[in-house]
Amino acid sequence: MSSDQVVTKIDLESYGFKKVASGKVREIYELDNDTLLFVATDRISAYDVILDNGIPTKGALLTQLSAHWFSLIARELPQLKTHLLTISLPPSIPSSLRPALENRTMQVRKHPILPLESIVRGYITGSAWAEYQRSGTVHGIPMPAGLRESQKLERPIWTPSTKAEQGAHDENISPAKAREIVGEEVAGKVEEVSLRVYGMARDYAEARGILIADTKFEFGLDPTTNEIVLVDEVLTPDSSRFWPAEGYEVGKGQSSYDKQYLRDWLVSSGLKGKQGVSMPEEVAQETGRKYREAYAKITGREWA
């Protein structure tokens, strides 16, 4: 597959694989009763809407960056269970498909998924900043007076949201509401683990010139042990706000290595939340460049 090719559609059903879900970026297939195959396309979404065109090799980059973080989590937080088994292609994938799927698949354990997006915020920005300006709260949590845009919080906070079906919008909720949805014990575990993973990743990234303003995790539940399991992608430009440490300044919006550039273009063009939108070539190229730069800074390897 050439580096310029954009993979926005994956069809393994015609090769006998059972599709179990289709997300904004990933197609999910069943390999056996216990194992799923995640395939990351080059699709990109913003404001819960998938753009008509994608970013070349983005799916492979997200997969490889997630694998990097999963490896770090296994080393630094070995008690935390994750769903990742391997990023190798299953032997059952036909040889004709292997070039297109190379580097963009994860074989993972199957787990029931908790109906929450687990967001950790270390800085006040985005929807959190908008809510704070209105009411002095973030996800209903009272915050100190006098905070400024992009300011680092005294300590990171857990700010969950609902996990909406594709085409619907996630809704910011309070930690109290999250406890109502999944129960006190499970919510407490999700909060604790999310903050711990964020803290590890924040320190790792900051040493490499990136500030992780906020990030989103997803969790499953192991029904045999009742342990929570970290699933989906982790700490990528799709699920996080990455800011360059150099040039960071409180009191304004920050430049970023994530899809904020795309969001800003959608807002300035009056296209926020609209279906059927294609990015201009320059927006796609610049978004891709930012993703590649984030990958290089975090992993220490240039994206080929």
Side-chain angles (χ1 to χ4, degrees), residues 194-208:
S194 298
L195 290 169
R196 195 182 309 157
V197 176
Y198 173 81
M200 181 276 291
R202 173 201 58 205
D203 295 346
Y204 179 89
E206 190 166 348
R208 289 154 180 80

Side-chain angles (χ1 to χ4, degrees), residues 188-260:
K189 289 179 181 178
V190 169
E191 178 177 8
E192 178 191 357
V193 170
S194 298
L195 290 169
R196 195 182 309 157
V197 176
Y198 173 81
M200 181 276 291
R202 173 201 58 205
D203 295 346
Y204 179 89
E206 190 166 348
R208 289 154 180 80
I210 288 182
L211 306 178
I212 304 180
D214 53 44
T215 194
K216 177 194 73 176
F217 301 114
E218 293 191 40
F219 290 92
L221 198 63
D222 186 331
T224 60
T225 64
N226 211 36
E227 292 177 282
I228 63 167
V229 182
L230 183 61
V231 302
D232 201 57
E233 65 173 0
V234 286
L235 295 154
T236 73
D238 263 19
S239 63
S240 315
R241 280 189 175 90
F242 291 152
W243 294 341
E246 185 178 0
Y248 166 69
E249 185 179 342
V250 176
K252 63 175 188 177
Q254 310 297 307
S255 60
S256 66
Y257 295 121
D258 49 60
K259 54 185 175 184
Q260 191 60 46

Side-chain angles (χ1 to χ4, degrees), residues 43-212:
R43 297 192 294 260
I44 191 167
S45 68
Y47 300 112
D48 294 315
V49 175
I50 301 170
L51 279 291
D52 280 0
N53 53 341
I55 308 290
T57 74
K58 170 178 167 285
L61 184 150
L62 296 183
T63 300
Q64 299 305 309
L65 185 54
S66 286
H68 178 82
W69 286 114
F70 276 123
S71 177
L72 278 174
I73 290 166
R75 189 178 74 207
E76 301 295 330
L77 302 170
Q79 70 279 16
L80 173 59
K81 292 184 68 172
T82 75
H83 71 160
L84 181 63
L85 295 169
T86 178
I87 58 172
S88 300
L89 283 168
S92 54
I93 295 291
S95 57
S96 60
L97 290 177
R98 299 180 83 83
L101 298 183
E102 198 70 47
N103 295 324
R104 58 174 75 236
T105 63
M106 294 193 296
Q107 295 182 57
V108 304
R109 296 180 189 88
K110 189 188 298 185
H111 294 289
I113 303 302
L114 296 175
L116 291 178
E117 303 277 11
S118 182
I119 302 164
V120 178
R121 301 180 189 273
Y123 296 74
I124 188 161
T125 188
S127 63
W129 172 242
E131 180 185 335
Y132 177 77
Q133 289 178 291
R134 291 193 306 269
S135 60
T137 61
V138 173
H139 288 237
I141 303 167
M143 301 296 290
L147 293 179
R148 300 165 65 200
E149 184 177 6
S150 304
Q151 184 171 339
K152 186 176 184 178
L153 301 174
E154 184 177 347
R155 52 182 172 271
I157 57 174
W158 183 57
T159 56
S161 74
T162 59
K163 184 174 170 57
E165 296 295 322
Q166 186 172 326
H169 296 283
D170 298 337
E171 177 189 349
N172 289 349
I173 57 175
S174 67
K177 181 65 177 177
R179 290 191 286 270
E180 289 179 18
I181 293 172
V182 299
E184 190 86 32
E185 182 181 0
V186 171
K189 289 179 181 178
V190 169
E191 178 177 8
E192 178 191 357
V193 170
S194 298
L195 290 169
R196 195 182 309 157
V197 176
Y198 173 81
M200 181 276 291
R202 173 201 58 205
D203 295 346
Y204 179 89
E206 190 166 348
R208 289 154 180 80
I210 288 182
L211 306 178
I212 304 180

